[in-house]
Amino acid sequence: MPDHKIDPNQWISLYSDYLFNYTVSRVSDRDMAQDLVSETFLAGLGAMKNFKGEASERTWLISILKRKIIDYYRKINSNKGRAEVRMHYNSATESEGDWLEERVADPFDKTAEDHIENSELGLAIYNCLEKLPTKQAQVFEMKTILNYDTETICNELNITASNLWVIIHRARTAMAGCLEKNWF
Amino acid sequence: MSDKLFLSCDEASHTCDKAQYKEATLWGKMKLNIHLVYCAACRKYAKNNAKLTRLIKRKPVTLEP
């Protein structure tokens, strides 16, 4: 039997779809499956020197993935156990329990202070935007604030997509730096 | 984008920018996460980037001064 080689650079292109499909049929949650697959790749990288070459790379990765899936089910089951003993002190009748914390004003409620803060934030964003070069400000505004599609902007300004992303990157870096100074 | 598992910082920040507009691909985001595990500079950039998105989302900014 030939020895199998291990080459992490090929993993994504060779196995990501396979591993993802394998996982999603077992956990039926796309996000979770995605996380599990990336954890598998990471674990595989960490354990690369333990790879003996007896099985193919794919078999080896699947065996790691199986462990990850088992761990995932252990974790959500213990969460469920905890959730079941949680007390719903407010569900029985309207005022039963009468917890003090729930009688005070909702801290996430919109207040006058929030409105002032928000308009100050708008002003800060506007001021920072003004400091950017015209082109960057224009693209950033269209993309981030007006939520235009990449394609629309590209057609409008006659630039390529990669061009746009470079401009966006520069604008975002500048905006983050500027807001860091004036707002945070 | 290339098929490598390990991104350069340039590629990582590009994916990170795209992710702010929900335009990054599934595997792009995976590779970004792997990059963030070992790259402190990009972690910082990603954090600030997300913060900027959050700030702007918090209020639909009107641009009339």
Side-chain angles (χ1 to χ4, degrees), chain A residues 8-9 11-13 16-17 20 34 37-38 41-42 45 117-119 121-122 125-126 129 140-141 143-145 150 165 168-169 172-173 175-176 179-180 183-184, chain B residues 3-6 13-14 17-21 23 25-27 29-31 33-34 37 45 48-53 55-65:
Chain A
N9 281 329
W11 283 1
I12 293 275
S13 53
S16 55
D17 285 329
F20 179 74
Q34 204 183 322
V37 174
S38 40
F41 282 142
L42 271 179
L45 283 175
E117 200 184 82
N118 259 348
S119 55
L121 173 61
I125 292 174
Y126 180 72
L129 205 54
F140 185 81
E141 184 195 328
K143 183 83 185 137
T144 315
I145 298 168
T150 308
W165 285 111
I168 287 282
H169 179 74
R172 290 193 78 93
T173 315
M175 286 295 284
L179 284 172
E180 183 90 41
W183 179 254
F184 297 131
Chain B
D3 271 343
K4 288 180 293 148
L5 183 57
F6 294 104
S13 54
H14 177 63
D17 288 334
K18 277 193 164 182
Q20 302 306 317
Y21 302 99
E23 286 180 33
T25 58
L26 201 79
W27 305 120
K29 278 185 280 186
M30 253 183 56
K31 287 187 281 186
N33 277 328
I34 290 174
V37 167
Y45 177 73
N48 281 337
N49 218 358
K51 214 161 161 189
L52 177 64
T53 306
L55 274 183
I56 287 167
K57 282 246 174 72
R58 208 156 92 188
K59 172 181 187 271
V61 184
T62 47
L63 279 177
E64 280 72 49

Side-chain angles (χ1 to χ4, degrees), chain A residues 18 63 79 136 175 177:
Chain A
Y18 179 79
S63 67
N79 278 345
Q136 281 180 30
M175 286 295 284

